[in-house]
Amino acid sequence: METRVLVVDDEESILEAVTDILEDEGFQVAAAPDGRAAILSIRDSLPSVVLLDIWMPEMDGIETLRRIKEEWPFLPVVIMSGHGTIETAVRATKLGAYDFIEKPLSYEQLIMALKNAIRFYEMQEENALLRQKVGAPKEITGKSEVITQLKRQIEVVAPTDAWVLIRGENGTGKELVAQTIHRMSKRRLRPMIDVNCAAIPEELIESELFGHEKGAFTGASTMKRGKFDLANGGTLFLDEIADMSLRTQAKILRILQEQRFERVGGSKTIKVDVRILAATNKDLEKEIEKGRFREDLYYRLNVIPIEVPPLRERKEDIPLLVDEFLEEFSIKLGMPKKTIDNDALNALMGYDWPGNVRELRNFVERLVILTPDNIIKHEALPRPFHKPDNKAVLSKEIEELFACNDFKQARTMFEKEYLIRKLKEFDGNITRTSEAIGIERRHLHRKIKSLSISVEAA
Ligand SMILES: Nc1ncnc2c1ncn2[C@@H]1O[C@H](COP(=O)(O)OP(=O)(O)OP(=O)(O)O)[C@@H](O)[C@H]1O
Ligand SMILES: [Mg+2]
């Protein structure tokens, strides 16, 4: 990117010298002999940074600074002054000067100050762009085969009014899928109302779903509309559907079919038009077998099944997701966007993420908070990610161990391998090893001998 510096000084010799130096450094330079010319020049073409002299005839530097900041509050200004009075510096800082350097100029200092100011300016721009993005609806991130298929399925299903049962492990993105379906449906201008069936206590669920009339029960001092009512014309998202009691399942089945109900304590029948999306991480077929889920409700909800794949089946999406979350949390924390190096990324891709995208997202949030550097390196990851091949080595030995059909021999194999590793960890120091693993030093000595472990080799 081209970086333009506007230099403002009434002394021609300084203008010329500074211009030469900055051009040598690869900057594009514009020069102005006074404040008025500076304002015109900025209007004509916005620089990345302004280098401004304080003592000038007519409009002095402080006044120029004030005007620049009024019109271009985000434009960084570096002040230079021949008389480094504290008072001027304080005034300039208060007016929003980015930095202050003294004449005679040290060119190194000058370049450094300008580069810092420009970097700051770019960061502000990046942040503004990022802030714009935050308000936008969340997309389903991923390019893997399984996610591409999922998106295709959503595109087909969303515009229809069909009911969808969304299945998948914890944290795979079921809710995100529901939101996406609603957003791509013809009901998108109407609300999507969430019902978390696991979170609502049994005795409240009817009033939550269907609402109640004033005076329906103690504490019902006003009429309250239920979620079915609120979702009218839109979508009702029944989340964690398997956690609903059998009694509520029976009740809801009837209402889902008829799309009409009465408020608790009321007699008026309310007719609605809602599309139902349901989600669960449970194996509903098994729940039916065990008598915990109604088969008829299952068939009613499962018009179109959508399966959200676990993250371990689409590890190639991890870099994209990590990038998205780095951006999200950097903005949230008001810092420039952090990046991650390849080694660290590979380590993350080597992990299975049992908590799926939610686990990855929480993990990235912690990383952004806890890593002081702008680049997250492999060393910054917590321990389990340090030796990516450790697991493979270990499992090979464990396999050998399990292949052994003699208990005594297997125990001996284990003890030997264990002690070799531990001794290695403590640089072959027997005292420290014995303390660390909680056996007596003499005992450790005996073991080393009897298992013919060479401490050097360890
Ligand atoms: N493909 C994706 N792209 C971007 N973000 C995602 C994706 N999938 C999930 N997420 C994010 O991961 C988090 C968990 O997703 P969501 O709540 O939709 O999962 P869930 O399957 O409903 O989880 P649970 O079973 O725990 O209710 C959310 O912050 C969500 O925005
Ligand atoms: Mg969910």
Side-chain angles (χ1 to χ4, degrees):
M1 194 189 77
E2 189 114 276
T3 36
R4 273 169 56 84
V5 183
L6 172 64
V7 189
V8 192
D9 201 310
D10 58 315
E11 275 180 72
E12 189 136 327
S13 58
I14 292 202
L15 273 188
E16 270 172 21
V18 171
T19 302
D20 279 352
I21 283 158
L22 294 184
E23 278 178 354
D24 282 351
E25 281 292 316
F27 294 107
Q28 214 194 59
V29 186
D34 55 51
R36 208 151 292 145
I39 303 280
L40 290 176
S41 167
I42 298 173
R43 249 182 226 145
D44 184 47
S45 152
L46 192 69
S48 316
V49 57
V50 178
L51 183 62
L52 179 64
D53 183 32
I54 279 286
W55 296 100
M56 291 184 297
E58 296 178 41
M59 193 199 291
D60 75 2
I62 290 288
E63 177 58 16
T64 311
L65 173 63
R66 205 183 55 70
R67 292 209 193 166
I68 292 176
K69 283 286 149 183
E70 227 171 64
E71 218 171 317
W72 300 279
F74 295 114
L75 181 57
V77 178
V78 174
I79 297 286
M80 44 183 180
S81 162
H83 320 267
T85 68
I86 301 265
E87 196 207 348
T88 327
V90 169
R91 276 182 70 202
T93 312
K94 272 192 184 150
L95 283 171
Y98 178 77
D99 206 350
F100 194 90
I101 51 176
E102 269 181 281
K103 283 182 183 172
L105 298 171
S106 137
Y107 290 130
E108 258 165 44
Q109 237 178 14
L110 172 65
I111 304 284
M112 181 70 94
L114 290 178
K115 282 190 172 158
N116 282 340
I118 289 164
R119 176 73 198 118
F120 176 73
Y121 184 63
E122 286 169 356
M123 256 162 50
Q124 280 184 328
E125 272 183 332
E126 273 168 30
N127 284 346
L129 278 178
L130 295 179
R131 267 195 299 272
Q132 279 173 12
K133 280 193 199 165
V134 179
K138 220 171 136 39
E139 300 284 333
I140 297 174
T141 303
K143 285 196 173 136
S144 58
E145 182 59 33
V146 278
I147 277 291
T148 312
Q149 255 174 33
L150 176 74
K151 289 186 194 171
R152 226 177 279 142
Q153 216 178 348
I154 292 174
E155 269 167 35
V156 174
V157 169
T160 72
D161 246 349
W163 293 12
V164 182
L165 179 61
I166 305 161
R167 306 176 66 163
E169 293 175 14
N170 280 323
T172 44
K174 297 183 293 297
E175 189 167 344
L176 183 59
V177 167
Q179 286 158 351
T180 313
I181 293 177
H182 176 70
R183 187 154 41 80
M184 292 170 73
S185 77
K186 48 187 186 232
R187 295 169 178 260
R188 65 179 156 275
L189 297 177
R190 300 283 309 151
M192 176 168 107
I193 302 289
D194 267 29
V195 182
N196 185 336
C197 304
I200 304 173
E202 172 68 22
E203 64 276 15
L204 287 185
I205 198 144
E206 283 191 28
S207 127
E208 274 292 312
L209 289 176
F210 315 123
H212 57 72
E213 296 293 348
K214 182 176 172 181
F217 46 85
T218 338
S221 53
T222 52
M223 186 275 281
K224 188 180 152 222
R225 294 173 69 197
K227 304 227 168 186
F228 262 97
D229 223 341
L230 295 168
N232 195 4
T235 305
L236 189 68
F237 176 44
L238 300 174
D239 202 359
E240 320 270 9
I241 188 83
D243 291 285
M244 212 179 250
S245 74
L246 282 168
R247 208 179 74 91
T248 313
Q249 289 176 31
K251 179 123 196 175
I252 218 173
L253 175 67
R254 181 181 66 81
I255 286 150
L256 290 180
Q257 279 165 344
E258 296 174 2
Q259 300 252 321
R260 68 175 79 220
F261 60 92
E262 288 89 44
R263 293 200 183 107
V264 178
S267 52
K268 193 172 69 178
T269 299
I270 296 165
K271 176 96 186 82
V272 289
D273 164 29
V274 293
R275 179 191 200 179
I276 305 289
L277 305 177
T280 183
N281 54 21
K282 297 235 168 87
D283 182 343
L284 283 187
E285 290 80 3
K286 211 174 254 168
E287 296 295 299
I288 293 170
E289 244 171 59
K290 289 186 179 154
R292 288 196 293 240
F293 200 80
R294 288 183 68 112
E295 200 169 0
D296 45 8
L297 179 57
Y298 169 75
Y299 285 115
R300 188 68 193 89
L301 293 172
N302 196 26
V303 178
I304 298 190
I306 284 192
E307 190 76 38
V308 189
L311 187 53
R312 64 181 172 279
E313 284 173 17
R314 53 179 192 110
K315 285 189 174 178
E316 64 266 47
D317 287 335
I318 289 179
L320 279 176
L321 287 162
V322 168
D323 188 67
E324 176 187 321
F325 299 144
L326 283 174
E327 183 168 312
E328 177 186 346
F329 291 112
S330 300
I331 299 169
K332 261 197 192 141
L333 294 160
M335 38 174 89
K337 183 179 164 189
K338 296 200 181 203
T339 52
I340 187 162
D341 77 1
N342 272 337
D343 281 351
L345 205 50
N346 282 335
L348 299 190
M349 287 171 80
Y351 178 65
D352 271 348
W353 303 103
N356 295 297
V357 186
R358 174 171 303 111
E359 185 186 6
L360 179 65
R361 186 168 175 270
N362 292 343
F363 182 83
V364 173
E365 179 177 21
R366 270 202 310 277
L367 271 186
V368 171
I369 294 173
L370 296 179
T371 317
D373 299 336
N374 276 342
I375 300 173
I376 297 164
K377 302 213 179 77
H378 193 192
E379 303 88 79
L381 301 184
R383 266 183 170 275
F385 293 98
H386 278 188
K387 291 176 198 132
D389 45 11
N390 218 5
K391 216 165 119 193
V393 174
L394 209 61
S395 66
K396 184 177 135 272
E397 275 144 11
I398 285 176
E399 257 167 44
E400 254 171 47
L401 200 60
F402 281 112
C404 172
N405 279 330
D406 178 338
F407 176 72
K408 257 179 140 179
Q409 197 193 334
R411 190 173 65 188
T412 310
M413 279 164 67
F414 168 77
E415 283 186 354
K416 185 166 178 178
E417 190 56 39
Y418 179 76
L419 292 180
I420 288 176
R421 271 168 194 267
K422 283 298 161 190
L423 282 162
K424 215 179 242 170
E425 198 176 316
F426 294 97
D427 302 322
N429 184 318
I430 292 170
T431 311
R432 273 170 51 217
T433 309
S434 65
E435 276 166 8
I437 64 178
I439 66 176
E440 266 183 53
R441 201 172 164 281
R442 277 203 347 252
H443 187 60
L444 179 57
H445 254 302
R446 275 203 305 274
K447 280 281 174 198
I448 289 172
K449 257 208 190 130
S450 68
L451 295 168
S452 41
I453 295 170
S454 100
V455 177
E456 274 83 341

